[in-house]
Amino acid sequence: IIQGNRDRENNPNNPPVNYPNDFSYGISAIAGFNFIPNLSLGGGIKYTYTTDNFHILYGIIQPKILFNVDNGEPVFIDLTYGFQLNKSVVDNADLYGIKVGKLVSHSKRLSQQGGSYLEGQQLGNTGVTFVGVFYGLTVFSNKNYNEYGKD
C-alpha cells in the first residue's frame, strides 16, 4: 500500500520524527581477517549521531579489497553493511556504504588510513545519504606487504 505524505502526517502509527541534519559524526571499531593477499573480511560495531535521539549503534560487516599492495602504498575499497543493535527514535535502521582510501604504513604492524566515503542510512521511514571524509588507524597482527618486510 502506498501512502501519501498527507495521509502519513495524519496517521497516528507514523508519529512525526525530526529528521537528521546536515552534520553527522561517528566512530567504529572493526576486527578482520586477511585471508588472501588482496581481500579481507571484517566485522564490528559503529556508533553514529545525526541529531537528537538518533544515537544508533550498528553491527557492521565490512569486506576490504586492497589494490597496489606490491608497491608499498595500498589503496583500498571498503564495502559496508550495518544493522541496528540498539533502541532509538527508529528501531529498524540499516546502512550501506563504500569507502575509498589509502593505507600509509608507519611500521610493519601500524598503518593510518584516510579517504572519502559515501553512505546511505535507512532510518525508519526516511533515507539519508552522507558524503564525507574519514581517518583511521589500523593495527595488523600479520602484515607482509609493506616496505618493512616479512617476519
Side-chain angles (χ1 to χ4, degrees), residues 39-84:
L39 181 65
S40 64
L41 182 62
I45 58 173
K46 177 177 183 166
Y47 166 79
T48 61
Y49 169 84
T50 48
T51 190
D52 292 339
N53 296 323
F54 276 87
H55 301 275
I56 300 176
L57 184 66
Y58 292 101
I60 297 291
I61 299 169
Q62 187 177 72
K64 181 184 295 261
I65 304 165
L66 294 160
F67 301 97
N68 199 28
V69 295
D70 295 330
N71 293 341
E73 292 188 8
V75 175
F76 66 89
I77 296 174
D78 282 347
L79 305 172
T80 305
Y81 170 71
F83 51 93
Q84 185 175 0

Side-chain angles (χ1 to χ4, degrees), residues 6 11 17 19 23 31 37-38 42 52 55 57 62 64 66 68 74 78 81 103 107 120 132 138 140 147-148:
R6 181 182 51 81
N11 186 341
V17 175
Y19 295 118
F23 179 75
N38 292 3
D52 292 339
H55 301 275
L57 184 66
Q62 187 177 72
K64 181 184 295 261
L66 294 160
N68 199 28
D78 282 347
Y81 170 71
L103 284 170
S107 69
T138 303
F140 293 93
E147 66 269 17
Y148 298 102

Side-chain angles (χ1 to χ4, degrees), residues 116-135:
S116 58
Y117 72 92
L118 175 67
E119 184 175 278
Q121 294 185 19
Q122 185 65 37
L123 303 170
N125 293 337
T126 188
V128 293
T129 301
F130 295 102
V131 177
V133 296
F134 70 91
Y135 172 80

Side-chain angles (χ1 to χ4, degrees), residues 105 107-109 142-151:
S105 297
S107 69
K108 179 170 175 152
R109 306 274 185 233
N142 183 17
K143 180 174 82 166
N144 292 320
Y145 56 79
N146 64 19
E147 66 269 17
Y148 298 102
K150 298 183 183 293
D151 284 333

